[in-house]
Amino acid sequence: MTTSIESPCNAKYLGKVVCVGRNYAAHAAELGNEIPTRPILFIKPASSVVGIDSLIASQVIDVPRDTAYEVHYEAELCVRIGAPLKAASIDAIKETPKAIDAVTLGLDLTLRELQSELKAKGHPWERAKCFDGSCVLAPWVDPEVFADFSAVNYQLYINEKLTQEGKTELMLFSLYELLSEISYAFSLQPGDVIMTGTPSGVGVLKAGDRLTLKLGEHQWQTEVE
Ligand code: ZN
């Protein structure tokens, strides 16, 4: 088996980041949200992507008023698109070589308090979800060992305590269902990234927290500034 690892920030490979909201029932429940009947999609810009060695505990997003917000973590399975996908069925995606050309774990960082304010007003979430550094990606690895992605397990440990555990079998929409649904909403291009939604256990990042992300045999560690 060969495993290739690349920097997540390699501009040659970086497109838009399509994120999926509420793809695990237990996470929807912990935030008091309804379970969606179609995937909830939002996009982070390429400017939001950083490697896992750049985690921060608070974010000043409202510069004129100098308001600092706590940063919350959401650990998610992430895949990188390797072939153009437009209005593609699940079967078509499975038959497309390099449809998924890399996989890793990421943190969908969120200013939860600001997001709640925006949601209450019916406003878009970008101010709470798209700031620089809000898409944290571990190095990419070869997707081949994950077969059809229906039985992938991953974990986030904070200060050695198991904090989030994702099991793709518990996704409300499977990875291939997501890719197909997304490809009907807008084109996916090589270099685009999909964040597949977070399991339950989300919370606040604190300065000095030590994070370990585990995906199968792969493991990455970092510390929050
Ligand atoms: Zn998320």
Side-chain angles (χ1 to χ4, degrees), residues 51-63:
I52 58 165
D53 52 353
S54 303
L55 280 177
I56 50 166
S58 71
Q59 177 75 12
V60 177
I61 199 79
D62 197 346
V63 176

Side-chain angles (χ1 to χ4, degrees), residues 7 16 23 28 45 69 82 137 147 155 188 211:
S7 164
K16 59 184 174 288
N23 201 24
Y69 291 92
L137 296 179
Q155 294 85 24
L188 289 170
L211 272 60

Side-chain angles (χ1 to χ4, degrees), residues 19-22 27 42 44 74 76 108 110 129 195 197-198:
C19 303
V20 180
R22 301 175 206 166
H27 170 63
F42 60 97
K44 289 180 188 260
E74 299 185 355
E76 310 197 5
D108 165 16
T110 304
K129 286 274 197 184
M195 301 192 91
T198 192

Side-chain angles (χ1 to χ4, degrees), residues 21 83 95 97 117 125 133 140 146 179 187 189 208 224:
E95 288 163 12
E117 290 172 17
W125 300 349
W140 292 112
F146 300 101
L179 293 182
S187 297
Q189 302 289 349
V224 181

Side-chain angles (χ1 to χ4, degrees), residues 13-68:
Y13 290 107
L14 199 54
K16 59 184 174 288
V17 180
V18 183
C19 303
V20 180
R22 301 175 206 166
N23 201 24
Y24 289 84
H27 170 63
E30 74 179 344
L31 294 186
N33 290 318
E34 288 177 14
I35 289 173
T37 53
R38 297 179 74 187
I40 295 171
L41 306 178
F42 60 97
I43 289 180
K44 289 180 188 260
S47 53
S48 69
V49 176
V50 293
I52 58 165
D53 52 353
S54 303
L55 280 177
I56 50 166
S58 71
Q59 177 75 12
V60 177
I61 199 79
D62 197 346
V63 176
R65 284 182 285 169
D66 200 26
T67 305

